[in-house]
């Protein structure tokens, strides 16, 4: 079986008109039509998204809380965490 790629236009009545090369034999043929997918509308609006943000907001952490969290994270790195500390100190 041979594949021939052609571009065409879908008419208002949903029909296609194709002109095949002269070397295509007359007789049965299989046609596969690829069309772009229709973009689905979002389930929610931007306003819905923004309203949902307030329900998921996290408490704002202080600098000290963030520093403690980072220090614990670095300590979990084992010997590489202490290397990180040495690089941070002038």
């Amino acid at each position: 079986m041979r594949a021939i790629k052609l571009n065409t236009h879908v008419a208002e009545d949903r029909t296609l008109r194709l002109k095949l090369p002269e070397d295509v034999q007359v007789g049965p043929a299989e046609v596969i039509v690829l069309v772009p997918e229709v973009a689905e509308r979002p389930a929610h609006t931007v306003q819905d998204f923004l309203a949902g943000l307030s329900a998921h907001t996290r408490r704002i952490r202080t600098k000290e809380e963030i520093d403690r969290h980072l220090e614990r994270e670095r300590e979990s790195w084992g010997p590489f965490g202490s290397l990180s500390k040495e690089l941070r100190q002038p």
Side-chain angles (χ1 to χ4, degrees), residues 47-83:
Q47 288 81 11
D48 294 336
F49 172 76
L50 294 174
L53 286 180
S54 63
H56 299 293
T57 54
R58 300 173 73 180
R59 182 180 70 80
I60 297 175
R61 296 184 293 172
T62 65
K63 177 188 181 310
E64 291 76 21
E65 289 172 317
I66 294 170
D67 287 342
R68 278 194 303 272
H69 173 80
L70 290 173
E71 191 60 36
R72 284 192 306 270
E73 181 65 26
R74 287 184 183 111
E75 288 171 1
S76 73
W77 299 346
F80 298 106
S82 61
L83 176 63

Side-chain angles (χ1 to χ4, degrees), residues 86-90:
E86 291 170 9
L87 294 174
R88 289 183 281 129
Q89 294 180 357

Side-chain angles (χ1 to χ4, degrees), residues 1-86:
M1 189 166 271
R2 173 178 146 196
I4 301 171
K5 182 176 179 180
L6 302 169
N7 292 316
T8 188
H9 177 78
V10 178
E12 288 293 323
D13 63 354
R14 307 298 187 268
T15 59
L16 300 175
R17 181 175 170 93
L18 301 172
K19 174 70 174 164
L20 299 174
E22 293 295 324
D23 65 334
V24 173
Q25 296 179 0
V26 175
E30 180 178 2
V31 177
I32 298 173
V33 179
L34 303 173
V35 296
E37 292 187 35
V38 177
E40 295 183 22
R41 293 186 49 177
H44 303 285
T45 64
V46 171
Q47 288 81 11
D48 294 336
F49 172 76
L50 294 174
L53 286 180
S54 63
H56 299 293
T57 54
R58 300 173 73 180
R59 182 180 70 80
I60 297 175
R61 296 184 293 172
T62 65
K63 177 188 181 310
E64 291 76 21
E65 289 172 317
I66 294 170
D67 287 342
R68 278 194 303 272
H69 173 80
L70 290 173
E71 191 60 36
R72 284 192 306 270
E73 181 65 26
R74 287 184 183 111
E75 288 171 1
S76 73
W77 299 346
F80 298 106
S82 61
L83 176 63
S84 172
K85 193 174 198 176
E86 291 170 9

